Structures are given as C-alpha cells and as structure tokens.
Amino acid sequence: MVVVLFVLSPLMLIAMGFLLWMIIGGRVPAAAARWVPRAMWSVGGAAVMYAWGLWHTFALDVEEHCTIVRERDYDEQHGGLTFVPISRKCNAEYDLVPPYVNPIVFALLALAVVSVAIAVKTTRDARNRAARS
C-alpha cells in the first residue's frame, strides 16, 4: 500500500507531465491526448479526497475528541494514525475517517493508471500505423 502512495503517484505525475509535453509538441495523436486530462483529473481528485480524509484525522486530543465529540469509547490500542490507507481509530469499530475516503482514493488512482496506459497504447498504435504507411 505504501508503494502506491510514495512510488506510483510520483511516477504517474512524471508520466502525465511527459505526455502533456508530447501533446503540446504535437507528438501525440488526438485520440491519445484525450486521456491525459482524465488522468490528471483523477490524480487531482485522489489528492483532494486524501486531503479530505486527512482533515478528519486532526484532533489535538484524540481521546477527548472520540469520547466527547463523537460519543465513542476510546481504546488506546486502536488509536493510532495510519496514512495508507488513511485511518485514525477511536476503537476497533469506529474510525474518524469516513469509510468512503480510501476506496475513492484508490479507485481514482487506478483510473489514472488506466488512462495513462490507454494514452500510451493509443500513441504506440498510431506510430506503428504511421511507420507501416
């Protein structure tokens, strides 16, 4: 899971930047150029959703926040913060981060990977057709 956040995300940004540079230079066919903005929006959406989940983890005193604000029992054994997947638990059953955050983040990152892969494949296919002509 850590690989996704710290390795794949920068690689995706580099790949999208490279494709954007190729689009501006006119080296990418129009069919492939449609997929680059989709990938960029997907990565941006994943970053925004991750930030939304991270926002829910902020509490000066987690025990006090869980017991007074959320009206949940606090168990110190489960009270740690994890970044991938993002989570801050009050106890074994209750998490401060909404349950929809992590699936959306990973789905958007997967959509970005698929979009870049389609853009690369479309570009290769166009170049192969041009080379045969």
Side-chain angles (χ1 to χ4, degrees), residues 49-115:
M49 186 57 65
Y50 188 84
W52 175 251
L54 194 60
W55 175 259
H56 284 85
T57 64
F58 291 133
L60 294 176
D61 185 359
V62 178
E63 182 177 0
E64 184 178 302
H65 184 79
C66 289
T67 55
I68 295 173
V69 177
R70 302 292 176 115
E71 298 177 350
R72 303 286 179 168
D73 292 331
Y74 179 73
D75 183 6
E76 192 171 310
Q77 182 180 14
H78 298 290
L81 172 66
T82 60
F83 290 104
V84 179
I86 187 164
S87 174
R88 184 153 215 176
K89 294 189 175 236
C90 288
N91 53 42
E93 294 87 32
Y94 189 76
D95 196 346
L96 294 176
V97 178
Y100 57 84
V101 171
N102 288 312
I104 291 175
V105 167
F106 290 116
L108 287 171
L109 288 176
L111 180 63
V113 169
V114 169
S115 297

